[in-house]
Amino acid sequence: MTVEEVGDDYTKDGTVDLRGNPVRRSIRGRWKACSFVVVYEVFERMAYYGISSNLVIYMTTKLHQGTVNSSNNVTNWVGTSWLTPILGAYVADAHLGRYITFVISCAIYFSGMLVLTLSVSIPGIKPPECSTANAEDCKKASVLQLAVFFGALYTLAIGTGGTKPNISTIGADQFDVFDPKEKTQKLSFFNWWMFSIFFGTLFANTVLVYVQDNVGWALGYGLPTIGLAISISIFLMGTPFYRHKLPTGSPFTKMARVIVASLRKAKEPMTHDVAHFHELPSLEYERKGAFPIQPTPSLRFLDRASLKSGTTHKWNLCTITEVEETKQMLRMLPVLFITFVPSMMIAQINTLFVKQGTTLDRKITGNFSIPPASLGGFVTLSMLISIVIYDRVFVKLTRKFTGNPRGVTLLQRMGIGLVFHIVIMIVASGTERYRLNVAAEHGLIHQTKVELPLTIFALLPQFVLMGMADSFLEVAKLEFFYDQAPESMKSLGTSYSTTSLAVGNFMSSFLLSTVSEITKKRGRGWILNNLNESRLDYYYLFFAALNLVNFVLFLVVVRFYVYRAEVTDSVDVKEVQMKVKDVKENE
């Protein structure tokens, strides 16, 4: 059944119901379906950040780990949580589809959360209590206790691998880019998507963190587990309203075929005549709600994969569309690489930034003290406000000057976020130097259990600026990798964004360990268990320089990047071709 045969009320982007039948846009999809997805994300992010935001404090106070060890354990786990989405995207695109992959992953995710809650609740499984002032004198957690705790953490990470790359893609799939109204609505989807993420994060960084620090870890982890159960239930309730896209085969296999075929025909003479290249008839694409992609001049060495020469075996001959899809995924790699360094900065929020907070005066009024991890709530709050201002004010103003529906291009928006990261690390370095001066003035450099006479809100500027940076960089990054990925590789494109965060966290672990060891050997260590004896100000300045170099490289990448043509451009090309054909027939 072709697109023309199913009527105007049916979607034209190939979306179907769970049984594979075409769907009506008046019944399924759009904001009605997205409301379930967005509400799911609020509760799910509450659950995830209810664990990750305060994890470094649990490892320090309950597992009695040092600054470097606890920070690296957090960033390694967070990195794994952001890396597994590559596997989840592969399974969704190649085999099970996004919905089924997501539901199965939710079951794994919930089981990890459940076991994690039990590991901090049941005597014998949770680590032994310690009342001594010196953490080194405390009894260490047993192998079994560590195995249960970290086993639960990494089970949770595997579960998120199937949810993170697919849930945002499921939400974006509810809008048909072939419908002008829905195409416009889709432009705002990722802004509000990130809004829902950080709304849930705000609750985690305030209420849940306070419960963990002041009531107990059993309840502090139990509430996120309940939140996850609620989020999964809400998502399942929206099942009758979702649009789905069928799996189109492994994107990795498709890209490998193009690369292998081009290498096999590396010595074949090239031609610019399109007739010498292989492509399927338009009708084949129309049946799938898709359109062929026109050839582009970049990465021309890959064009040989579709050159009609030699055998027609699939590993020797690909279509022009397959070649162009591979080109686009490869063109995005330099942009992906540029996002690694700012992802390292994000890793500092739940590690070193929180550890700094533990040394400062956290008292607000009476007996109420703000948990150090709750400062992460200001990142969230800052981002929520910034996204609303960006979507409602900034876009409307810049649109008048640029003519771009987004106000500025996605890469320009990312560039603004990168500048923010340079400023953040300079501010963080200055604040840390001031903190160290206060410690020296009051003779507290060698004290570890005494709070400095400096309010924890001295750290507020770096948290607020981080939220503003995220409203530019992180939103644009997610939308860029989704928008620029070919239609058949949207989940893989989305996983580029999560891969950026994964690599950033792993790089943070490596850099923290390396700098710590090198500086210890050369005198005063930059990162020690006692932060009053450390030189985090130097470490943050190093990050500022790293961000500056990264920004220069970003400008080079932007200079040569070519945006993917809108899929609707292919429709326009087809319509022009049909008009030309009609004119010729009339003549």
Side-chain angles (χ1 to χ4, degrees):
M1 183 178 293
T2 65
V3 170
E4 290 78 11
E5 291 173 334
V6 297
D8 291 337
D9 191 41
Y10 284 87
T11 58
K12 296 183 175 70
D13 60 352
T15 49
V16 296
D17 61 19
L18 281 175
R19 296 182 179 179
N21 300 315
V23 295
R24 293 181 182 273
R25 60 167 49 91
S26 59
I27 299 175
R28 292 174 177 264
R30 294 191 286 195
W31 285 112
K32 182 178 183 179
C34 275
S35 62
F36 292 94
V37 176
V38 169
V39 174
Y40 158 87
E41 193 65 7
V42 172
F43 282 93
E44 189 276 331
R45 290 294 86 183
M46 180 193 77
Y48 177 80
Y49 285 104
I51 302 299
S52 64
S53 296
N54 215 21
L55 189 57
V56 70
I57 299 298
Y58 182 85
M59 291 183 174
T60 302
T61 60
K62 299 299 180 181
L63 299 182
H64 313 300
Q65 297 178 344
T67 299
V68 174
N69 195 18
S70 60
S71 297
N72 284 348
N73 277 332
V74 172
T75 51
N76 286 336
W77 172 71
V78 172
T80 302
S81 298
W82 289 112
L83 189 62
T84 51
I86 296 178
L87 177 61
Y90 164 77
V91 173
D93 283 343
H95 301 290
L96 300 180
R98 292 160 190 163
Y99 179 86
I100 300 300
T101 303
F102 177 83
V103 172
I104 293 174
S105 299
C106 280
I108 300 173
Y109 191 171
F110 182 73
S111 66
M113 289 287 291
L114 192 60
V115 175
L116 188 65
T117 302
L118 295 176
S119 72
V120 301
S121 307
I122 300 176
I125 298 180
K126 68 177 182 178
E129 296 293 335
C130 180
S131 58
T132 62
N134 190 354
E136 294 180 357
D137 297 331
C138 295
K139 182 180 179 181
K140 302 297 182 182
S142 68
V143 175
L144 174 63
Q145 292 165 344
L146 291 175
V148 172
F149 180 78
F150 283 101
L153 274 181
Y154 282 90
T155 299
L156 190 159
I158 293 171
T160 59
T163 60
K164 280 178 178 170
N166 291 308
I167 185 61
S168 59
T169 312
I170 289 173
D173 286 346
Q174 306 311 307
F175 301 98
D176 183 359
V177 294
F178 294 93
D179 179 79
K181 183 178 179 181
E182 292 191 23
K183 182 179 179 181
T184 301
Q185 292 173 334
K186 191 173 185 177
L187 294 178
S188 293
F189 167 72
F190 285 104
N191 282 336
W192 294 106
W193 171 255
M194 293 299 292
F195 185 93
S196 69
I197 287 177
F198 283 88
F199 189 80
T201 307
L202 181 61
F203 183 86
N205 286 335
T206 52
V207 177
L208 293 180
V209 165
Y210 181 81
V211 170
Q212 290 165 2
D213 279 9
N214 296 278
V215 180
W217 292 93
L219 182 60
Y221 279 9
L223 290 176
T225 304
I226 295 172
L228 181 62
I230 294 173
S231 69
I232 295 172
S233 300
I234 290 172
F235 175 82
L236 294 176
M237 287 170 58
T239 298
F241 305 105
Y242 297 142
R243 301 173 186 175
H244 306 276
K245 287 194 174 181
L246 297 172
T248 55
S250 168
F252 297 109
T253 302
K254 187 184 296 185
M255 294 171 65
R257 284 177 47 228
V258 170
I259 295 172
V260 169
S262 62
L263 291 175
R264 284 181 172 178
K265 293 184 280 189
K267 297 183 179 179
E268 293 286 339
M270 280 293 290
T271 176
H272 294 285
D273 188 353
V274 180
H276 288 82
F277 296 91
H278 175 55
E279 184 58 284
L280 298 176
S282 297
L283 185 61
E284 292 291 326
Y285 291 98
E286 289 181 18
R287 288 172 178 169
K288 301 176 182 178
F291 291 89
I293 302 177
Q294 302 300 314
T296 58
S298 62
L299 301 176
R300 285 190 58 82
F301 66 92
L302 293 175
D303 290 342
R304 286 185 170 83
S306 60
L307 193 63
K308 294 178 182 178
S309 63
T311 66
T312 58
H313 188 271
K314 64 180 182 179
W315 285 89
N316 196 66
L317 183 63
C318 304
T319 65
I320 293 176
T321 296
E322 289 173 332
V323 171
E324 291 303 321
E325 289 174 336
T326 302
K327 283 183 180 182
Q328 189 54 34
M329 296 306 295
L330 295 178
R331 275 197 293 260
M332 290 194 296
L333 288 179
V335 179
L336 172 62
F337 298 152
I338 290 299
T339 63
F340 290 162
V341 170
S343 292
M344 290 173 61
M345 305 306 103
I346 296 174
Q348 310 313 308
I349 297 175
N350 294 332
T351 53
L352 294 181
F353 283 11
V354 172
K355 290 289 291 182
Q356 282 178 282
T358 62
T359 68
L360 302 177
D361 180 12
R362 306 191 296 275
K363 186 173 292 185
I364 305 297
T365 56
N367 295 324
F368 179 77
S369 296
I370 182 174
S374 287
L375 284 183
F378 288 98
V379 176
T380 305
L381 188 60
S382 172
M383 183 172 183
L384 290 177
I385 296 172
S386 298
I387 285 178
V388 174
I389 295 174
Y390 183 92
D391 191 64
R392 296 302 181 188
V393 180
F394 182 82
V395 171
K396 290 181 180 179
L397 289 176
T398 54
R399 186 185 293 161
K400 295 178 181 179
F401 299 99
T402 64
N404 189 317
R406 292 187 173 93
V408 294
T409 67
L410 293 174
L411 287 177
Q412 287 171 340
R413 185 174 179 177
M414 290 172 64
I416 296 171
L418 293 177
V419 172
F420 265 106
H421 277 287
I422 299 172
V423 176
I424 289 167
M425 300 320 295
I426 293 175
V427 170
S429 177
T431 302
E432 174 62 11
R433 180 163 295 186
Y434 178 67
R435 191 191 69 82
L436 291 175
N437 288 337
V438 170
E441 289 173 2
H442 292 81
L444 299 174
I445 291 180
H446 304 296
Q447 299 294 323
T448 58
K449 296 297 181 179
V450 179
E451 293 180 352
L452 302 183
L454 177 65
T455 176
I456 192 172
F457 291 110
L459 301 176
L460 197 56
Q462 62 202 57
F463 283 90
V464 172
L465 287 171
M466 189 68 79
M468 296 173 66
D470 286 350
S471 69
F472 284 91
L473 180 58
E474 293 306 305
V475 176
K477 184 170 69 175
L478 177 61
E479 187 175 354
F480 175 84
F481 289 127
Y482 175 88
D483 179 79
Q484 293 296 292
E487 292 301 310
S488 64
M489 299 181 180
K490 290 298 187 186
S491 291
L492 179 60
T494 304
S495 72
Y496 272 27
S497 181
T498 61
T499 300
S500 165
L501 292 169
V503 175
N505 275 274
F506 289 133
M507 288 174 62
S508 176
S509 296
F510 171 77
L511 200 61
L512 187 65
S513 297
T514 303
V515 171
S516 176
E517 290 300 320
I518 291 176
T519 54
K520 278 182 184 178
K521 293 177 180 178
R522 296 193 174 187
R524 183 175 177 180
W526 287 6
I527 309 107
L528 304 172
N529 290 339
N530 182 359
L531 292 190
N532 295 338
E533 297 177 345
S534 305
R535 291 311 304 254
L536 281 183
D537 54 332
Y538 292 166
Y539 191 55
Y540 290 159
L541 273 182
F542 171 68
F543 270 151
L546 199 60
N547 275 283
L548 179 60
V549 173
N550 186 70
F551 180 70
V552 173
L553 294 176
F554 171 78
L555 295 178
V556 175
V557 170
V558 171
R559 173 68 179 81
F560 294 100
Y561 185 80
V562 179
Y563 281 91
R564 179 182 79 93
E566 292 274 4
V567 67
T568 46
D569 290 347
S570 298
V571 182
D572 297 336
V573 171
K574 181 177 181 295
E575 290 177 349
V576 171
Q577 291 174 341
M578 292 298 293
K579 290 178 180 178
V580 172
K581 181 180 179 182
D582 291 341
V583 170
K584 289 182 178 179
E585 288 178 351
N586 292 333
E587 291 176 348

